[in-house]
Each structure stands twice: as structure tokens, then as C-alpha cells.
Amino acid sequence: MTELIPAPRAVTAAPGEVRLTARSRLYTGPGAEGAGRWLRTALGQATGLPLHEGREPEGTDTDATDGIALQVDGRLGPEEYRLVSDARGVLVEGGDAAGVFWGAQTLRQLLGPDAHRRAPVRRDRIWAVPHLTIEDAPRFRWRGLMLDVARHFMPKDGVLRYLDLMAAHKLNVFHFHLTDDQGWRIEIRRHPRLTEVGAWRARTKFGHRASPLWDEKPHGGHYTQDDIREIVAYAAERHITVVPEIDVPGHSQAAIAAYPELGNADVIDTTALSVWDTWGVNPNVLAPTDNTLRFYEEVFEEVLDLFPSEFVHIGGDECPKEQWRSSPAVQARIAELGLADEDALQSWFVRHFDTWLSARGRRLIGWDEILEGGLADGAAVSSWRGYAGGTAAARAGHDVVMCPEQHVYLDHRQDGGPDEPVPIGWVRTLEDVYRFEPVPPELTPAQAAHVIGTQANVWTEAMEDAARVDYQVFPRLAAFAEVAWSTLPAPAERDFADFERRTVAHYARLDALGVAYRPPGGPRPWQRRPGVLGRPIEGPPPHR
């Protein structure tokens, strides 16, 4: 009856049910209007019911007892909600607008899988909510999904679809990985060649970097600034914050291909570079010049105009320093700045943008390599190389988002057999993700408070289309969402059997949402090229 994902904090069931009919009304109180618009649209499409605006459910002069009321109740905490279904109808109260919205998502789950469709499939369907009381609130304030659209571009409609899927799982931070060696995906009007040149590559490595196979078709695409505004607004309506990532000083070959002066031209012929067509850690990194700093300040000025998020992600990871060591110009720069070495130069680069963003009321966040050479003041850390970087940062008083590759990289294979379509990385099953714990046990309570949340990362080198992304992400994202939202016991004590039971019902919701998830029990064998894509690649994936 309450096979909900993520699991709520408390559920009290009672006999009876509320039936929604053509006469049912939807009341939205002050502050709940956004959730009301979303719910009326979502349920109206799925059920065919009009859900006309109702009157405030107070006193004796009320609407029919099969109605829905959405209200803000300031006595509840941020994102907290209470859902009561009884003889008076359904009442969803939230501590803020976000809490009301999460309660509305739970209400949709209670109505059954078909409530997730875009049109009615059965006109005679009875829509009923069981009588119960649900009290619920999130464990973490950062419950994220990172999507890499640089390696394989996802058109705007696909991004909007993933925002809907995030909202359905009560995830609230969309980390938008917009730039990398293999593509630049955001329009920057002052530097148009970033998309004219940097958004397209001539061909693409097919599969893992060890594969000899190539897709010889050009690949690319980008989001216009109005596309970005639409994505940000669509996310905001669903109480999702979009955190953009512009990767510096590594993962920058697409930018250098567009503007060769950004690279280390005294070491290599930067004019000969094109957008990278394979995977791995690229040696071509930005030159630490004043020109480069001004260029990226102009990039970030446009980014800040598009994204109102508190945090801006600057990457900072996997920056090979061989070109810096070989470059007379860079060595002169290190001496000019009085820095100890190339690690300190990277820290200087990060600190520059930390100061620049702070002056504009924003906060820098980067991958845990920004710890090298000293962590920039005020910076937050995305801890991907295990727990160590995040633990060190939390102990030093910096905020941390835990996303260790060993646990929540959803491009990793889901089974040890040869039939996984993306046979890279470590095996991470649905149960492995469910037993992930974001807070290291060695942190004190004060230090643990700096773990502001967690996110799952989706790197798309070996995911050439939306169906492959779906297959890798689901159903594991459902397990991750429960880890991020629900207050669970220690990993070894978690009731995976109960989660697996609830997942059976959740598959029907995913079917209704059109998600091409990995089927229970794994894939069926299909014709593959032996020894290329069918051979599991042990160890870490071809990127972070």
C-alpha cells in the first residue's frame, strides 16, 4: 500500500480511502501555488480529471471530501512535509514550498504507476489514496545528480526529462557538466568559437578507450542561453538547483581548440588541436596567463547571469602538469608569483576564481584535486576519489558533497558477467548503491555537519544515447535517492530485501515514465564484438 521510494520517515495507515473523481477539487494555499500548478498538470494529464480550484478546507463550508489541499505550515522544517488522507480528503502540508512539492510527489506515488503517465490509459480507472498519515523530511540538503553532456551531448528535451525524473525521486541538485576535452556545450556570446568550434568533434571513440572501434560521424551540439534559462526555470519549478560546471584548468582541449591562445603554445602547437575524440586524461591544459584568467572571467560572467545557484563548479580535477613543467613561460610565471611548484600553481588558479566568485556572492566548488597545493579559502569539495579528500576537507571546516567513484559512479557496470553493455569500472550493484553511506564514521558530529550532501555521477563516455543513460542510471538512482533522502541505519543493517520489494512496484512507475532501466536479473545476451565491448575492464573508468 505504501511502497514508496524514497522511504518516508513515518507512515501510519488507517482503514478507508479517498477517491478522486471529476468533482474533486484542488486547493492551493499561499506559498503552495507552484506545487498546485505542477500537481494539477501532472495528475490532470494522467487521470483526465479536471481538478478545479477549490476553496480553503476550513470550517463546515468545504468542498467535497474527495478533494486535495496543499498548504505551507511554518511549524514544519525546510523541505519537510506531512500528508494526511482521511474522511476529509487529502491534505499535504510543507514547511516551505519545496516541502509541499515533495509531498505532492508522494501523493502521485500513492495513486499508482499510471499517475506517472502523460495521458489516461484507462478511462474507467478508479483513482484512490489510502487513508494514512505520512511524516517525512530529507536527511541531506544536497541530493544531487551529475550529468555529463560534454562527452555525449543530450538535447534539451532529454535534460528536462531528467529533471522530472530527479523530482520524482526527491533529488534537488542538478550538477550540469557542460565543458570538457570532448565538447563545449554552453553558448558564450563574447566567445562564439567555443560552440562554433568547441561543440563539435569529427568522430568519437566507441566504447572504452581501449576499444579499437570508432563512430566516424561528427558529434556535437550545445545549449543556447535561452535553452539554459529554460532549463534553470524548469528545474526551479521542481525545487531543483542547477549547478553549472565549467572545467578548469584541465579537461579543456575543446576550449583550446576554439581559442589556441588559451593553451601552452610554447610547448605544443595549439593551433593544431581539435576537439578531442577519445577518452582518458588529456595532457593539454590551460596556460596560467592573465589572458586566460580574463577569458574565463568573461565566461563566468555570462554563466552567473544564467545560473542563480549559490555554488559554481570549476572542475579542478585531473590536471596533468607535464606541460607546465616543460613550459618556460609557466616556469617564469611560477617564479613571478613566488610559488613553490606546479601544485601550488593549480591552487593559485583555483584561489583566483574562488576570490572572483566570492566577490560576486557565489561559492566555488570543485573536485577534490583542488586540495592539492592547499584548499582555496571558502571552497567546497566534491569528493570523488573515495572518502579521503572529503574527510580532510570536512575536518578543515569546508563543506563537502560526497560522491566517491567506488560507490556512486553510475557509469560503472552493474554485474561482473560479460553481458553488461558498458563493461567498465568496478561492479556496483543495486544493493551496493543502497548500502552506500555518505558520512565517514570517523568524523566528529561537528565535522560531519560539513557533509552537506551527496550526489550520483553519470559520466557518458560509453553512453552514446539516452537509452544507454537510462540503463546505467536506473534503478540504481532509486537506491541512491533513498540514501540521500531517508534516515537509514548503518549500511550493514539496512533492509535491502524491503527496498527490493518496494522496487518491484517502482519498476511500474519507471515503465509509466518511459525509463529504459536495467531489467531485474540483468540483461539478456546479445550479439557483441568479442574482446572489445564484451570484455569487462577492471578498475577505474576512463575518466575521473
Side-chain angles (χ1 to χ4, degrees):
M1 180 174 64
T2 56
E3 294 165 326
L4 302 172
I5 291 179
R9 184 173 60 192
V11 180
T12 304
E17 64 183 15
V18 174
R19 290 194 175 187
L20 301 182
T21 68
R23 63 193 292 269
S24 299
R25 294 184 176 272
L26 174 61
Y27 165 75
T28 55
E33 295 89 351
R37 285 191 298 272
W38 174 84
L39 188 63
R40 180 173 285 108
T41 299
L43 293 189
Q45 289 176 342
T47 66
L49 301 176
L51 295 176
H52 295 302
E53 181 66 27
R55 296 188 298 274
E56 186 171 1
E58 292 181 357
T60 58
D61 184 19
T62 63
D63 292 305
T65 57
D66 58 2
I68 301 169
L70 308 179
Q71 299 181 153
V72 172
D73 184 341
R75 294 171 295 182
L76 300 175
E79 297 191 271
E80 184 178 3
Y81 72 89
R82 180 190 302 113
L83 188 155
V84 179
S85 171
D86 58 22
R88 295 168 292 180
V90 179
L91 172 64
V92 178
E93 297 175 302
D96 52 15
V100 177
F101 181 75
W102 303 132
Q105 290 285 355
T106 296
L107 173 58
R108 184 168 69 155
Q109 287 198 21
L110 291 170
L111 284 166
D114 285 346
H116 294 75
R117 296 188 180 275
R118 296 184 184 179
V121 294
R122 297 175 186 84
R123 289 291 178 180
D124 58 347
R125 169 70 187 266
I126 294 174
W127 299 97
V129 182
H131 284 178
L132 46 61
T133 299
I134 296 175
E135 296 179 342
D136 202 8
R139 179 185 180 190
F140 292 107
R141 67 182 178 95
W142 182 304
R143 307 179 302 280
L145 175 69
M146 190 229 69
L147 181 64
D148 166 19
V149 296
R151 275 50 177 269
H152 279 99
F153 178 65
M154 181 177 285
K156 180 193 68 179
D157 283 354
V159 174
L160 299 179
R161 172 175 174 264
Y162 259 82
L163 292 170
D164 279 329
L165 292 173
M166 288 178 63
H169 292 82
K170 297 184 174 69
L171 300 175
N172 69 340
V173 177
F174 179 56
H175 176 165
F176 207 5
H177 185 79
L178 288 162
T179 72
D180 217 295
D181 298 303
Q182 296 86 1
W184 185 285
R185 305 297 179 212
I186 178 173
E187 176 190 18
I188 301 297
R189 291 175 177 167
R190 271 178 288 189
H191 301 295
R193 287 176 58 83
L194 286 171
T195 48
E196 292 171 358
V197 174
W200 290 90
R201 57 179 182 262
R203 64 175 188 167
T204 299
K205 173 72 73 171
F206 186 75
H208 190 277
R209 67 175 180 270
S211 165
L213 303 178
W214 293 89
D215 182 346
E216 297 292 345
K217 298 188 299 294
H219 177 86
H222 75 276
Y223 309 102
T224 68
Q225 293 202 357
D226 281 345
D227 289 338
I228 294 292
R229 291 187 178 95
E230 181 182 357
I231 289 168
V232 170
Y234 193 86
E237 290 173 351
R238 288 148 182 79
H239 299 277
I240 296 171
T241 299
V242 183
V243 174
E245 181 181 352
I246 305 296
D247 216 331
V248 295
H251 289 283
S252 296
Q253 182 162 320
I256 298 169
Y259 292 93
E261 64 270 22
L262 297 174
N264 295 285
D266 61 340
V267 177
I268 62 164
D269 180 7
T270 55
T271 63
L273 292 179
S274 59
V275 178
W276 211 26
D277 57 12
T278 189
W279 320 126
V281 179
N282 190 308
N284 296 306
V285 302
L286 296 175
T289 65
D290 287 339
N291 174 66
T292 299
L293 296 180
R294 298 292 87 75
F295 182 96
Y296 274 89
E297 285 173 0
E298 290 171 356
V299 168
F300 280 117
E301 283 173 1
E302 296 193 28
V303 168
L304 296 191
D305 185 55
L306 297 168
F307 296 92
S309 55
E310 174 188 3
F311 288 97
V312 174
H313 209 292
I314 58 93
D317 63 309
E318 292 181 332
C319 178
K321 300 181 174 62
E322 288 79 5
Q323 289 185 0
W324 286 357
R325 294 188 185 98
S326 302
S327 166
V330 173
Q331 292 302 310
R333 183 69 156 167
I334 290 173
E336 171 194 342
L337 296 169
L339 301 174
D341 54 21
E342 293 77 20
D343 283 347
L345 181 64
Q346 178 169 340
S347 180
W348 167 84
F349 198 103
V350 172
R351 285 176 183 272
H352 174 88
F353 285 103
D354 179 51
T355 301
W356 190 91
L357 289 168
S358 295
R360 288 154 181 81
R362 307 298 185 93
R363 293 184 63 187
L364 179 147
I365 185 168
W367 303 108
D368 55 57
E369 283 92 333
I370 66 174
L371 292 161
E372 296 172 7
L375 187 62
D377 293 339
V381 169
S382 301
S383 187
W384 75 273
R385 295 180 299 176
Y387 289 96
T391 300
R395 284 173 170 164
H398 294 271
D399 287 341
V400 175
V401 175
M402 283 293 185
C403 49
E405 63 174 332
Q406 299 90 338
H407 299 276
V408 289
Y409 269 37
L410 300 187
D411 47 315
H412 286 207
R413 55 200 167 109
Q414 301 172 72
D415 186 82
D419 296 319
E420 283 297 301
V422 185
I424 62 172
W426 293 283
V427 174
R428 285 299 170 262
T429 66
L430 182 67
E431 182 172 0
D432 290 333
V433 175
Y434 191 67
R435 297 193 187 280
F436 164 59
E437 171 49 47
V439 179
E442 62 268 27
L443 294 180
T444 67
Q447 294 165 347
H450 284 289
V451 180
I452 60 175
T454 182
Q455 73 181 29
N457 293 340
V458 183
W459 303 104
T460 62
E461 287 95 332
M463 296 182 226
E464 67 275 10
D465 56 34
R468 186 55 49 82
V469 174
D470 278 8
Y471 183 96
Q472 291 301 116
V473 170
F474 290 98
R476 292 186 293 181
L477 190 68
F480 172 79
E482 185 147 309
V483 169
W485 175 276
S486 306
T487 301
L488 300 175
E493 300 169 5
R494 291 177 188 172
D495 190 348
F496 178 70
D498 175 71
F499 175 78
E500 200 168 32
R501 177 189 62 79
R502 287 181 285 118
T503 303
V504 172
H506 200 62
Y507 285 125
R509 298 183 193 119
L510 297 179
D511 285 332
L513 289 165
V515 177
Y517 55 85
R518 182 181 189 270
R524 288 165 175 75
W526 53 80
Q527 188 68 34
R528 299 164 66 88
R529 294 177 174 89
V532 177
L533 298 181
R535 175 174 56 86
I537 306 297
E538 298 292 341
H543 53 72
R544 300 170 174 77

